[in-house]
């Protein structure tokens, strides 16, 4: 289903053409190639009926078909539902049908008819000229607007200062001359049958003879043949004999029409469907719906501005517009595809994969819209690719920076947790479990290229520090246990001194009173018991010393495995000193078990033991001092390493900041280059538009001069005083030019004498100013926005006339 839509209408109040927005919206929705079939001809001769047959509207609906003498169609109308057609090669495209206002209607001007005809030819892929009867001289004369069209349409802006049909036929649509109610026999003298195409070619042959009339007839034929190199002819018989029924032919059932007419309509529609192909221009590809909409606006804008429609300029302008729209669509598709993909991990591989996926979506969106030759498409493709590349660089940099910051935060928290566990008394196995749990959580939470590098550096810094803290704490505990053993040994030495004094007292008693042997024996037994008790106490102390020695050996073993440092030598020497002290305690204990007779020996041994203990204590103090010295060196080296690590982190941060600043500068440079390229493109477009307007102005001047030369002939009676005489008849090329409005001549000399300026037309003022050498001012005022009014032209004329009078 569908409905007619007004594509182009004429606004009589403003004197300009207007484009229907609903029709343009419909065209922009047709994405694939489109072929345009336009039916043109005189009013009230059944153009809309033919279009309705193409729409297969046999009874009602479709384009309006009237039964009166007044035209039904004004401007250009299109069907709102383009039909999909399959070509002979299997490709598919849409067919857009255009119904044009009848030419040569009683309420039209010649310029308006030419403009409607030109728009239909410029937009269509196949142009059907509908006519009643055969091709005769009057029919050819009605197509004289083809000659006018070729004067006002150019293929390229550089073709010249005025329109011309050179090369125009290469870009014209296929032409089908449809002859309605045709009753003639197509045969030559002698009865040889000819085809409708032969009939058309015969009619277009030059007429023999000379003279202006023959030249005019041949000019029309040459223009038709030149404008439509791909042409054909088709004939249809009268649909029915009943004149009254013809007025309602569009609403009659198809079986009421003559069979010959029905067969002809079927053959006609098949021909049109087979030959109507999408329009092309150079290497810009087939015309699509958006391109057709852009061409409508371009051609209408050129006509409204009084410029010569230029086919190449219009196609290139539409291609540039569509490519810009394709760029916007590509950037939007890239953004939408990135957002649709959800969150992405800050990993190089995943970011690049997401970028390539979004690039594919953007490229598909651009290719779906962009048209034009490869140079135009490549330039715009580079533009949107640079834009999305800059966007990707920003997003990638932001995500990687956030990932790096998150990694630093995780490592900072992990360092605090491990340090707290070390301060809380955890041993090495517990710290290892805590580190393993942190690494597992870090693997899940952290991301980015620096994830494992920073973790390795963090482990290399954190584990030695916390392990050193644990080992220092265990070494301190071992030293405390050793100091307790030393205190117990001192107590034993005190007890040994007391026993030695008692032995001396016993010896004195033995020398003083040998008679008291029994008492001495009793005392000896008591001393023996005391010695046994002391031996038992010594055994207990030995057990304690052995336990402390075993614990200290275990600590020293762990210390030897985890830290090969200066503490190793100190702990080994402490262990040796402890072993020596234990041996001396054993000797003291053995001395206590000796008999009273060996008291002197026991005392001597006690003194030797004291001397040796003092020496051992001295050596132990020296070893502890040496261990403290090594521990101080280790602490200073650890502090220096921490300071170097801080300097390294500061250097890394400064390097990252410099890289970010470098990337930002590169983005600003790329943006500036893109703006410069866009400005250059705009300047080139403005230069092209200025050249087109200059060409149009030259064309208008040439046309005005030709019109004046045609309107004012050379006077046969001398012409010296005739104010309407041609300039060549009144003094040569430098004589004053006459003003058609009746005023004084406005050539280079008499421009100051312009008393009747208000009675001149705008075109006459333009011609006078141009001939007087003010071409730049005429061009500037012509292109001013908003459009100048006649009062502006009169004011300019008066100012230039006054200036010229002042110079004289």
């Amino acid at each position: 289903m569908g409905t007619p839509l007004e594509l182009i209408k004429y606004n009589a109040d403003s004197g300009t053409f207007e484009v229907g927005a609903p029709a343009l919206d419909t065209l922009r929705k047709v994405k694939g190639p489109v072929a345009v079939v336009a039916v043109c001809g005189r009013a009230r001769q059944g153009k809309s009926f033919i279009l309705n047959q193409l729409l297969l509207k046999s009874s009602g609906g479709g384009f309006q078909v009237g039964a009166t003498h007044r035209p039904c169609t004004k401007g250009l109308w299109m069907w709102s539902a383009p039909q999909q057609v399959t070509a002979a090669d299997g490709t598919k495209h849409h067919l857009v049908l255009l119904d044009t206002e009848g030419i040569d209607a009683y309420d039209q001007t010649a310029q308006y008819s030419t403009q409607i005809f030109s728009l239909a030819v410029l937009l269509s892929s196949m142009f059907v000229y509908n006519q009643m009867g055969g091709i005769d001289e009057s029919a050819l004369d009605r197509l004289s607007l083809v000659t006018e069209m070729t004067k006002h349409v150019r293929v390229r802006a550089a073709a010249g200062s005025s329109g011309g049909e050179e090369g125009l036929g290469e870009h014209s649509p296929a032409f089908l001359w449809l002859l309605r109610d045709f009753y003639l026999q197509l045969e030559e003298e002698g009865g040889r049958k000819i085809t409708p195409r032969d009939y058309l070619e015969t009619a277009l042959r030059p007429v023999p003879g000379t003279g202006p009339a023959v030249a005019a007839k041949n000019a029309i034929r040459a223009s038709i043949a030149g404008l439509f190199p791909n042409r054909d002819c088709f004939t249809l018989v009268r649909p029915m004999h009943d004149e009254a029924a013809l007025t309602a032919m569009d609403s009659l059932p198809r079986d009421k029409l003559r069979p010959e007419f029905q067969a002809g309509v079927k053959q006609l529609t098949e021909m049109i469907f087979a030959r109507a192909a999408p329009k092309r221009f150079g290497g810009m590809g087939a015309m699509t719906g958006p391109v057709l909409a852009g061409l409508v606006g371009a051609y209408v804008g050129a006509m409204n501005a009084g410029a010569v429609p230029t086919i190449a300029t219009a196609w290139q302008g539409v291609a540039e517009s569509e490519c810009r729209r394709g760029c916007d669509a590509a950037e939007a598709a890239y953004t939408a595809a990135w957002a649709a993909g959800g969150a992405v991990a800050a990993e190089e591989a995943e970011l690049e994969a997401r970028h390539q996926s979004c690039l594919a979506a953007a490229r598909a969106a651009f290719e779906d819209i962009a048209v034009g030759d490869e140079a135009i498409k490549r330039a715009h493709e580079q533009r949107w690719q640079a834009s999305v590349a800059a966007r990707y660089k920003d997003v990638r940099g932001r995500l990687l920076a956030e990932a790096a910051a998150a990694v630093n935060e995780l490592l900072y928290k992990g360092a605090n947790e491990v340090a707290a566990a070390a301060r809380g008394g955890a041993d090495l196995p517990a710290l290892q479990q805590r580190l393993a749990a942190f690494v597992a959580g870090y693997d899940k939470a952290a991301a980015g290229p620096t994830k494992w590098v920073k973790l390795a550096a963090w482990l290399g810094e954190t584990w030695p520090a916390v392990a050193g803290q644990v080992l220092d704490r265990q070494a301190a505990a071992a030293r405390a246990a050793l100091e307790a053993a030393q205190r117990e040994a001192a107590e034993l030495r005190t007890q040994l001194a007391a026993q030695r004094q008692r032995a001396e007292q016993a010896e004195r008693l033995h020398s003083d009173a040998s008679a008291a042997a029994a008492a001495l024996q009793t005392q000896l037994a008591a001393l023996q018991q005391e010695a046994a008790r002391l031996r038992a106490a010594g055994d207990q102390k030995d057990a304690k010393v052995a336990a402390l020695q075993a614990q200290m050996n275990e600590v020293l073993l762990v210390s030897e495995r985890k830290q090969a440092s200066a503490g190793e030598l100190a702990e080994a020497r402490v262990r040796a000193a402890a072993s020596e002290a234990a041996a001396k305690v054993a000797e003291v204990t053995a001395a206590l078990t000796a008999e009273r007779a060996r008291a002197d020996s026991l005392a001597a041994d006690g003194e030797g033991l004291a001397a040796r203990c003092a020496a051992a204590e001295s050596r132990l103090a020296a070893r502890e001092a040496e261990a403290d010295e090594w521990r101080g060196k280790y602490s200073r080296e650890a502090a220096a390493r921490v300071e170097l690590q801080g300097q390294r982190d500061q250097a890394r941060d400064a390097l990252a900041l410099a890289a970010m600043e470098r990337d930002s500068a590169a983005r600003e440079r790329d943006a500036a280059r893109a703006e410069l390229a866009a400005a250059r493109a705009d300047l080139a477009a403005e230069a092209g538009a200025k050249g087109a307007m200059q060409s149009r102005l030259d064309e208008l001047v040439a046309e005005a001069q030709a019109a004046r030369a045609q309107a004012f002939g050379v006077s046969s009676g001398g012409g010296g005083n005739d104010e309407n005489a041609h300039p060549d008849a009144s003094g040569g090329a430098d004589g004053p030019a006459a003003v058609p409005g009746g005023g004084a001549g406005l050539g280079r000399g008499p421009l100051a004498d312009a008393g009747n300026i208000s009675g001149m037309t705008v075109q006459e003022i333009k011609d006078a100013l141009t001939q007087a050498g003010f071409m730049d001012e005429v061009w500037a005022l012509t292109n001013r926005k908003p459009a100048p009014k006649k009062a502006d032209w009169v004011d300019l004329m008066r100012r230039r006339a006054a200036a010229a009078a002042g110079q004289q």
Side-chain angles (χ1 to χ4, degrees), residues 558-584:
V558 174
S559 176
E560 289 174 356
R561 291 177 180 177
K562 299 298 180 179
Q563 187 179 7
S565 62
E568 178 180 359
L569 180 60
E571 295 298 336
R573 292 178 178 177
V574 167
R575 189 169 57 252
S579 299
E580 185 177 356
K584 294 304 179 180

Side-chain angles (χ1 to χ4, degrees), residues 260-318:
E260 301 92 330
F261 181 79
Q262 295 181 38
V265 170
K266 180 180 179 182
Q267 185 179 358
L268 173 65
T269 57
E270 290 175 353
M271 175 189 292
I272 292 176
F273 282 132
R275 296 188 181 182
K279 197 162 189 167
R280 298 175 182 272
F281 183 85
M284 294 190 182
M287 180 169 62
T288 62
V291 172
L292 177 57
L295 290 176
V296 170
Y299 290 139
V300 169
M303 288 187 177
N304 287 339
V308 176
T310 305
I311 298 176
T313 302
W315 275 80
Q316 186 173 3
V318 171

Side-chain angles (χ1 to χ4, degrees), residues 324-402:
R324 286 194 296 271
R325 194 165 67 89
C327 286
D328 297 337
E331 294 180 17
Y334 182 92
T335 303
W338 190 283
V344 60
E347 299 291 347
E348 291 285 359
E350 295 188 25
L351 289 173
E352 183 62 24
R354 175 68 63 84
H355 175 59
Q356 294 300 327
S357 174
C358 296
L359 271 182
R363 188 174 292 106
F366 177 77
E367 292 295 338
D368 187 49
I369 296 175
V371 295
D373 57 26
E374 290 302 320
I376 296 176
K377 293 174 67 175
R378 190 182 307 110
H380 287 82
E381 185 175 12
Q382 291 174 354
R383 171 191 154 195
W384 71 257
Q385 285 181 348
S387 177
V388 299
R391 184 175 303 175
Y392 170 66
K393 182 182 289 186
D394 292 340
V395 173
R396 174 181 171 277
R398 176 175 56 80
L399 291 177
L400 293 181
E402 291 176 354

Side-chain angles (χ1 to χ4, degrees), residues 32-35 83-95 273-280 286:
V34 296
Q83 303 181 68
Q84 191 173 43
V85 178
T86 302
D89 59 356
T91 60
K92 296 182 181 295
H93 61 270
H94 286 84
L95 187 65
F273 282 132
R275 296 188 181 182
K279 197 162 189 167
R280 298 175 182 272

